[in-house]
Amino acid sequence: MHVALLANLKKNAPTWPGISPDHWDDLDSEETIQAISSALQAGGHRVTFLEGDVTLFDNLRKVKPDICFNICEGHFGDGREAQVPAMLEMLRIPYTGSQVLTLALTLDKPMTKRVLAYHGLPTPSFQTFERLDEPLDPDLRFPLFVKPSREGTGMGVSAESIVYDDVQLRSQLRRMFEHYDEPALVERFIEGREVTVGVVGNLISPVARRIPEDEEAPRISRGLHFLPPLEVDMGAYPIEEAGVYTSRIKVEMAHEFHYLCPAPLSEEQLEELNWLAAGTFRITGCLDVARVDFRLDANDGDKPYILEINPLPGLNPHYSDLCIEAAADGWGYEELVNGILDEAIERYQLNDVNRQAIMSLHA
Ligand SMILES: Nc1ncnc2c1ncn2[C@@H]1O[C@H](COP(=O)(O)OP(=O)(O)O)[C@@H](O)[C@H]1O
Ligand SMILES: [Mg+2]
């Protein structure tokens, strides 16, 4: 098939005077694009890379791909991850991964947490701040964790994100408002291990984006493949990172990633994490692939809390969590990338369409 690889390359991103150095940290490197491209070619596909910016619409109409492998994070606006899928739907071009509603929802951490909480899935209790002087909800107890509402790749996350009193809370909120033009998310700080679960596959449709009733509970994960969880080995990092998966660890130290994969977990813990990952995948309406980030509360018997779901997980072959998990499962990088593509091909029934087209040619 002719696959258009759609991504936002860090080196193509717009820039302006005074732009913060971490502004495009969630965009992709040439190394990643090259690796995905080679993997798709090894899968027997013809690949054309297209930058996911304002040039994309015209380029898609010229290139006319059979399907797109979409990993665009977008540049501007709180729907930035959903913009390319919206364009592809308008053009009626099939693409990998989640659709508009899911990508717009999950970029917004507080909105996602409201949906999780509505469905009874465990996520740390929280409050959003849009002003420095808003009173703290009396139900929230220090220590708390402060982060931007709509960023990724550890942006705005450092050891100072953990705040122990009101003075620290206000100074961290001030920092967030100075750097990010969006509300700040303040959560209960979950002290404990950090585990992430990769999921490849699709639920049996139609999916009502809810937790199924008791008698149909097996539906919650049918069709999904869970990769072995990865635990970030916090003990291997400088003490200054305070046991947090910070921007510095994710970006500056990315090439010296310390992890345990598969994470040392009991069978029971593994089952619970997979169940929660499936529930999150299901209620946020993910397709083909996602990664769910958890913290295990050391002060409550390692009870898992969902921090976020990433429907566009990093695909760097050397250090991205999902790729490491796939390797621990015996999948090569090519299998992972083509596995994601095949999920989309199957959803759109492209093989069947092609087969029918070929058969009609021979008729
Ligand atoms: N409530 C919390 N308690 C403890 N640590 C947290 C909490 N929220 C975030 N963190 C830490 O910050 C990191 C980044 O947060 P996350 O919400 O996953 O954002 P990102 O999109 O940057 O990955 C987490 O991996 C974790 O180490
Ligand atoms: Mg995360």
Side-chain angles (χ1 to χ4, degrees):
M1 262 180 226
H2 183 191
V3 183
L5 171 55
L6 313 183
N8 294 113
L9 271 178
K10 216 172 272 188
K11 68 156 200 179
N12 292 342
T15 189
W16 52 88
I19 183 175
S20 108
D22 69 349
H23 196 94
W24 302 124
D25 272 358
D26 52 351
L27 303 190
D28 282 292
S29 65
E30 285 173 281
E31 180 184 54
T32 304
I33 300 311
Q34 194 48 55
I36 297 174
S37 191
S38 306
L40 292 171
Q41 280 163 1
H45 302 290
R46 182 156 70 90
V47 183
T48 306
F49 169 76
L50 297 176
E51 174 64 42
D53 62 9
V54 289
T55 61
L56 183 62
F57 194 83
D58 288 340
N59 284 337
L60 282 168
R61 301 229 283 183
K62 266 185 237 146
V63 167
K64 295 189 179 27
D66 299 313
I67 188 166
C68 295
F69 194 98
N70 175 46
I71 57 164
C72 290
E73 307 272 351
H75 289 140
F76 301 110
D78 62 9
R80 59 189 178 272
E81 293 186 348
Q83 289 163 353
V84 166
M87 189 189 283
L88 292 168
E89 281 171 24
M90 197 186 269
L91 291 167
R92 302 191 65 199
I93 302 174
Y95 60 97
T96 60
S98 298
Q99 298 174 345
V100 174
L101 178 61
T102 301
L103 293 175
L105 171 69
T106 57
L107 182 64
D108 191 305
K109 289 180 180 148
M111 286 301 284
T112 307
K113 287 165 66 69
R114 289 183 191 109
V115 175
L116 292 173
Y118 177 86
H119 289 280
L121 295 180
T123 184
S125 49
F126 72 105
Q127 178 179 356
T128 48
F129 283 77
E130 46 186 36
R131 294 194 328 265
L132 250 188
D133 59 354
E134 279 181 83
L136 178 65
D137 178 341
D139 291 339
L140 286 176
R141 299 281 152 76
F142 290 104
L144 297 169
F145 197 89
V146 185
K147 59 187 174 183
S149 289
R150 303 181 203 122
E151 303 297 334
T153 320
M155 285 158 72
V157 172
S158 67
E160 286 77 50
S161 301
I162 311 171
V163 296
Y164 291 90
D165 57 35
D166 202 65
V167 174
Q168 290 182 359
L169 168 66
R170 303 294 158 183
S171 78
Q172 192 59 16
L173 283 175
R174 183 187 300 279
R175 242 173 263 154
M176 290 299 104
F177 292 142
E178 278 167 7
H179 283 91
Y180 306 97
D181 183 20
E182 61 197 71
L185 170 56
V186 175
E187 287 184 329
R188 183 163 88 78
F189 172 63
I190 309 295
E191 185 184 354
R193 297 165 63 186
E194 169 114 11
V195 177
T196 182
V197 177
V199 180
V200 178
N202 282 300
L203 294 160
I204 310 298
S205 55
V207 180
R209 298 185 180 176
R210 58 169 169 76
I211 303 289
E213 303 298 329
D214 277 359
E215 66 270 20
E216 25 162 23
R219 277 184 77 85
I220 195 159
S221 60
R222 201 177 293 146
L224 299 184
H225 179 78
F226 301 98
L227 297 174
L230 176 149
E231 176 169 358
V232 185
D233 186 6
M234 290 300 183
Y237 287 101
I239 193 95
E240 303 86 75
E241 305 304 319
V244 174
Y245 200 2
T246 57
S247 158
R248 196 172 309 139
I249 294 180
K250 290 193 186 199
V251 179
E252 287 168 37
M253 306 182 189
H255 281 281
E256 35 169 326
F257 188 27
H258 300 286
Y259 58 86
L260 307 162
C261 189
L265 297 163
S266 68
E267 198 55 41
E268 205 178 313
Q269 281 176 310
L270 182 64
E271 239 170 68
E272 187 176 13
L273 290 179
N274 288 350
W275 193 90
L276 292 173
T280 309
F281 190 100
R282 168 176 265 279
I283 63 171
T284 55
C286 285
L287 296 173
D288 302 337
V289 63
R291 211 194 68 231
V292 184
D293 293 346
F294 294 92
R295 275 240 155 184
L296 312 184
D297 189 351
N299 300 311
D300 187 9
D302 273 353
K303 176 176 158 51
Y305 283 90
I306 301 155
L307 295 183
E308 60 158 348
I309 180 159
N310 301 287
L312 295 173
L315 286 174
N316 182 285
H318 304 298
Y319 57 75
S320 287
D321 301 353
L322 192 82
C323 305
I324 295 168
E325 293 180 4
D329 208 15
W331 293 14
Y333 184 73
E334 289 168 8
E335 273 173 283
L336 173 65
V337 169
N338 287 290
I340 295 168
L341 180 72
D342 289 344
E343 288 294 335
I345 288 175
E346 190 165 327
R347 263 193 304 116
Y348 289 100
Q349 299 181 328
L350 291 185
N351 279 337
D352 295 353
V353 172
N354 283 353
R355 212 173 297 134
Q356 277 163 20
I358 292 163
M359 276 159 57
S360 67
L361 275 180
H362 291 282

